[in-house]
């Protein structure tokens, strides 16, 4: 049984940062993201029912040729596949070959896309009903919380019920609700120095973290209202204040984690000046130096042209709100 599937990355408007339990990616508060369309992982999964050999994990490089995955990546994939097998009560082995259509280290959540693709592909091969949040729970077994959101399209809250941290993600609005763009300004192509895992672990050591936990549900409710109303004016300051707060927590953790580079600040400044001139654009940054500039569709090209002129911007990627994973070939 073979299926080729693809799943998108996502960009968090409200960040998952800090976990109740890191192994099971159980968050301390809800997060909210926009699923992307263009940045995707494409994965072919071959399922061999009853076969007891270890899962075979390959990465397809830019030349299209599959090669054995580096050991640390292969281990993460095998662990995820093993947990899904156990959850779904299946016996057999996988042959997996995966590729990303975006540069790694580009500030795009490659693990979210990759693990969402594994969950979607396994569910397809095993005929697991993909509704009711099961896909999200399967993706989250990877340990990547953001993967739990990448299984759905549009604007996604995880967990669906913020008072149940073990619950799945749920879309709060579909992709066609609001045509937002994400212009990703790459100011530093090198891999990030600190993993998200390290960030989650250290978050509670910041003296500002407890205050964040008090404020975060209110901010999420306001963001969801702004999305429901398609009010960019309401959404923009919330998205930026949230991104700054994530980095405030990181920078004030013990030991501190610094992700920003000089180019990060330069892009933040440019986006603020765009907005002051009436261009609907807002900046957000994950655990890295690169900046996602969220725009209304009509503003996307003007924002991109302006960012392209900055000496600090090495590369721009253009993306938009997307509709989630899809079957590319197979059952
Ligand atoms: C800053 O634990 O999901 O992107 O496994 O590296 O994808 P990866 O990270 P994960 O943490 C995500 C941290 C974040 C914010 C977010 O996407 O919510």
């Amino acid at each position: 049984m073979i299926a080729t599937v693809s799943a998108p990355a996502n960009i968090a408007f409200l960040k998952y940062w800090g976990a109740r339990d890191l192994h099971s990616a159980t968050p301390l508060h809800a997060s909210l993201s926009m699923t992307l369309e263009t940045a995707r992982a494409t994965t072919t999964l071959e399922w061999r029912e009853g076969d007891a050999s270890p899962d075979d994990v390959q990465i397809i490089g830019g030349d299209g040729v599959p090669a054995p995955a580096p050991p640390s990546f292969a281990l993460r994939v095998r662990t995820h596949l093993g947990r899904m097998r156990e959850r779904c009560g299946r016996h057999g082995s996988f042959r997996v070959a995966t590729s990303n259509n975006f540069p790694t280290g580009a500030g795009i959540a490659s693990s979210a896309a990759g693990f969402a693709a594994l969950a979607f592909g396994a569910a397809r091969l095993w005929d697991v009903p993909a509704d009711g949040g099961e896909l999200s729970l399967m993706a989250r077994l990877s340990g990547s919380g953001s993967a739990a959101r990448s299984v759905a399209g549009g604007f996604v809250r995880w967990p669906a019920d913020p008072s149940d941290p073990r619950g799945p993600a749920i879309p709060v609005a579909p992709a066609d609700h609001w045509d937002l763009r994400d212009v990703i300004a790459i100011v530093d192509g090198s891999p990030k120095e600190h993993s998200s895992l390290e960030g989650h672990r250290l978050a509670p050591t910041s003296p500002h973290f407890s205050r964040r936990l008090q404020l975060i549900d209110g901010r999420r409710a306001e963001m969801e209202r702004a999305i429901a109303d398609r009010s960019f004016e309401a959404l923009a300051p919330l998205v930026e204040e949230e991104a700054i707060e994530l980095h405030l927590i990181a920078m004030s953790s013990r030991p501190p984690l610094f992700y920003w580079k000089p180019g990060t600040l330069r892009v933040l400044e440019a986006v603020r000046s765009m907005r002051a001139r009436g261009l609907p654009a807002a900046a957000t940054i994950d655990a890295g130096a690169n900046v996602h500039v969220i725009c209304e569709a009509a503003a996307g090209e003007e924002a991109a042209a302006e960012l392209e002129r900055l000496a600090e911007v090495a590369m721009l990627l253009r993306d938009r709100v997307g509709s989630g994973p899809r079957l590319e070939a197979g059952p």
Side-chain angles (χ1 to χ4, degrees), residues 223-243:
M223 272 190 190
E224 289 186 10
R225 205 169 312 127
I227 291 170
D229 297 346
R230 287 188 282 264
S231 168
F232 200 84
E233 217 182 335
L235 184 68
L238 295 167
V239 164
E240 283 197 2
E241 115 192 3
E242 169 64 11

Short mmCIF file of all heavy atoms in Angstrom, two decimals, residues 223-243:
data_model
loop_
_atom_site.label_atom_id
_atom_site.label_comp_id
_atom_site.label_asym_id
_atom_site.label_seq_id
_atom_site.Cartn_x
_atom_site.Cartn_y
_atom_site.Cartn_z
N MET A 223 -7.98 38.02 19.13
CA MET A 223 -7.50 37.63 17.79
C MET A 223 -8.58 36.89 17.02
O MET A 223 -8.78 37.12 15.83
CB MET A 223 -6.30 36.69 17.91
CG MET A 223 -4.99 37.39 18.01
SD MET A 223 -3.67 36.16 17.86
CE MET A 223 -2.27 37.17 18.31
N GLU A 224 -9.26 35.99 17.70
CA GLU A 224 -10.30 35.21 17.00
C GLU A 224 -11.44 36.13 16.55
O GLU A 224 -12.01 35.94 15.48
CB GLU A 224 -10.81 34.08 17.90
CG GLU A 224 -9.75 32.99 18.04
CD GLU A 224 -10.24 31.76 18.80
OE1 GLU A 224 -11.46 31.65 19.06
OE2 GLU A 224 -9.40 30.91 19.14
N ARG A 225 -11.73 37.16 17.37
CA ARG A 225 -12.77 38.13 16.97
C ARG A 225 -12.30 38.90 15.72
O ARG A 225 -13.05 39.10 14.78
CB ARG A 225 -13.06 39.09 18.12
CG ARG A 225 -14.44 39.71 18.06
CD ARG A 225 -14.79 40.45 19.35
NE ARG A 225 -14.52 39.69 20.54
CZ ARG A 225 -13.78 40.12 21.59
NH1 ARG A 225 -13.23 41.32 21.56
NH2 ARG A 225 -13.57 39.37 22.64
N ALA A 226 -11.01 39.30 15.73
CA ALA A 226 -10.47 40.06 14.58
C ALA A 226 -10.53 39.20 13.31
O ALA A 226 -10.84 39.69 12.23
CB ALA A 226 -9.03 40.48 14.87
N ILE A 227 -10.25 37.89 13.45
CA ILE A 227 -10.31 36.99 12.29
C ILE A 227 -11.76 36.84 11.84
O ILE A 227 -12.06 36.97 10.65
CB ILE A 227 -9.67 35.62 12.63
CG1 ILE A 227 -8.16 35.79 12.81
CG2 ILE A 227 -9.98 34.59 11.54
CD1 ILE A 227 -7.45 34.57 13.38
N ALA A 228 -12.66 36.63 12.79
CA ALA A 228 -14.08 36.47 12.43
C ALA A 228 -14.59 37.71 11.69
O ALA A 228 -15.33 37.62 10.71
CB ALA A 228 -14.92 36.22 13.68
N ASP A 229 -14.13 38.90 12.14
CA ASP A 229 -14.58 40.18 11.53
C ASP A 229 -13.74 40.57 10.32
O ASP A 229 -13.96 41.62 9.73
CB ASP A 229 -14.47 41.33 12.55
CG ASP A 229 -15.37 41.12 13.75
OD1 ASP A 229 -16.27 40.26 13.67
OD2 ASP A 229 -15.16 41.83 14.77
N ARG A 230 -12.72 39.77 10.00
CA ARG A 230 -11.74 40.13 8.96
C ARG A 230 -11.23 41.56 9.17
O ARG A 230 -11.12 42.33 8.22
CB ARG A 230 -12.36 39.98 7.56
CG ARG A 230 -12.55 38.55 7.14
CD ARG A 230 -12.97 38.46 5.69
NE ARG A 230 -14.38 38.78 5.55
CZ ARG A 230 -15.37 37.88 5.51
NH1 ARG A 230 -15.08 36.61 5.54
NH2 ARG A 230 -16.60 38.26 5.40
N SER A 231 -10.91 41.88 10.42
CA SER A 231 -10.42 43.22 10.73
C SER A 231 -8.91 43.21 10.88
O SER A 231 -8.38 42.83 11.93
CB SER A 231 -11.07 43.74 12.02
OG SER A 231 -10.38 44.90 12.46
N PHE A 232 -8.23 43.61 9.81
CA PHE A 232 -6.76 43.63 9.88
C PHE A 232 -6.28 44.67 10.89
O PHE A 232 -5.29 44.47 11.57
CB PHE A 232 -6.15 43.90 8.50
CG PHE A 232 -4.72 43.44 8.42
CD1 PHE A 232 -4.42 42.11 8.14
CD2 PHE A 232 -3.68 44.31 8.69
CE1 PHE A 232 -3.11 41.66 8.13
CE2 PHE A 232 -2.37 43.87 8.67
CZ PHE A 232 -2.08 42.55 8.38
N GLU A 233 -7.03 45.76 10.97
CA GLU A 233 -6.68 46.83 11.91
C GLU A 233 -6.64 46.30 13.35
O GLU A 233 -5.79 46.68 14.14
CB GLU A 233 -7.77 47.90 11.81
CG GLU A 233 -7.24 49.29 11.95
CD GLU A 233 -8.40 50.28 11.90
OE1 GLU A 233 -9.46 49.95 11.30
OE2 GLU A 233 -8.23 51.36 12.48
N ALA A 234 -7.57 45.40 13.67
CA ALA A 234 -7.60 44.82 15.02
C ALA A 234 -6.54 43.73 15.16
O ALA A 234 -5.92 43.59 16.22
CB ALA A 234 -8.99 44.26 15.31
N LEU A 235 -6.33 42.95 14.08
CA LEU A 235 -5.41 41.80 14.17
C LEU A 235 -3.94 42.22 14.26
O LEU A 235 -3.16 41.64 15.03
CB LEU A 235 -5.62 40.89 12.95
CG LEU A 235 -4.81 39.60 12.95
CD1 LEU A 235 -5.27 38.65 14.07
CD2 LEU A 235 -4.90 38.89 11.59
N ALA A 236 -3.56 43.24 13.46
CA ALA A 236 -2.13 43.57 13.31
C ALA A 236 -1.42 43.84 14.64
O ALA A 236 -0.39 43.21 14.92
CB ALA A 236 -1.98 44.75 12.35
N PRO A 237 -1.93 44.74 15.49
CA PRO A 237 -1.18 45.00 16.74
C PRO A 237 -1.13 43.78 17.64
O PRO A 237 -0.14 43.58 18.36
CB PRO A 237 -1.96 46.14 17.40
CG PRO A 237 -3.23 46.28 16.66
CD PRO A 237 -3.10 45.61 15.34
N LEU A 238 -2.17 42.94 17.60
CA LEU A 238 -2.18 41.74 18.45
C LEU A 238 -1.10 40.76 18.00
O LEU A 238 -0.39 40.17 18.81
CB LEU A 238 -3.55 41.05 18.39
CG LEU A 238 -4.73 41.84 18.96
CD1 LEU A 238 -6.05 41.19 18.55
CD2 LEU A 238 -4.63 41.92 20.48
N VAL A 239 -0.98 40.58 16.67
CA VAL A 239 0.02 39.66 16.12
C VAL A 239 1.42 40.15 16.49
O VAL A 239 2.28 39.37 16.92
CB VAL A 239 -0.15 39.55 14.58
CG1 VAL A 239 1.08 38.94 13.92
CG2 VAL A 239 -1.38 38.72 14.25
N GLU A 240 1.65 41.45 16.36
CA GLU A 240 3.00 41.97 16.66
C GLU A 240 3.30 41.91 18.14
O GLU A 240 4.39 41.52 18.56
CB GLU A 240 3.17 43.38 16.11
CG GLU A 240 3.39 43.34 14.62
CD GLU A 240 3.96 44.61 14.02
OE1 GLU A 240 4.23 45.58 14.75
OE2 GLU A 240 4.11 44.62 12.78
N GLU A 241 2.34 42.26 18.97
CA GLU A 241 2.60 42.26 20.41
C GLU A 241 2.88 40.83 20.89
O GLU A 241 3.73 40.60 21.74
CB GLU A 241 1.47 43.00 21.14
CG GLU A 241 0.60 42.25 22.06
CD GLU A 241 -0.66 43.07 22.47
OE1 GLU A 241 -0.88 44.20 22.00
OE2 GLU A 241 -1.42 42.54 23.28
N GLU A 242 2.22 39.88 20.27
CA GLU A 242 2.43 38.47 20.64
C GLU A 242 3.84 38.00 20.25
O GLU A 242 4.52 37.31 21.01
CB GLU A 242 1.36 37.61 19.96
CG GLU A 242 1.57 36.13 20.00
CD GLU A 242 1.56 35.54 21.41
OE1 GLU A 242 1.17 36.24 22.37
OE2 GLU A 242 1.96 34.37 21.54
N ALA A 243 4.28 38.39 19.04
CA ALA A 243 5.62 37.98 18.59
C ALA A 243 6.69 38.58 19.49
O ALA A 243 7.65 37.90 19.87
CB ALA A 243 5.84 38.42 17.14
#
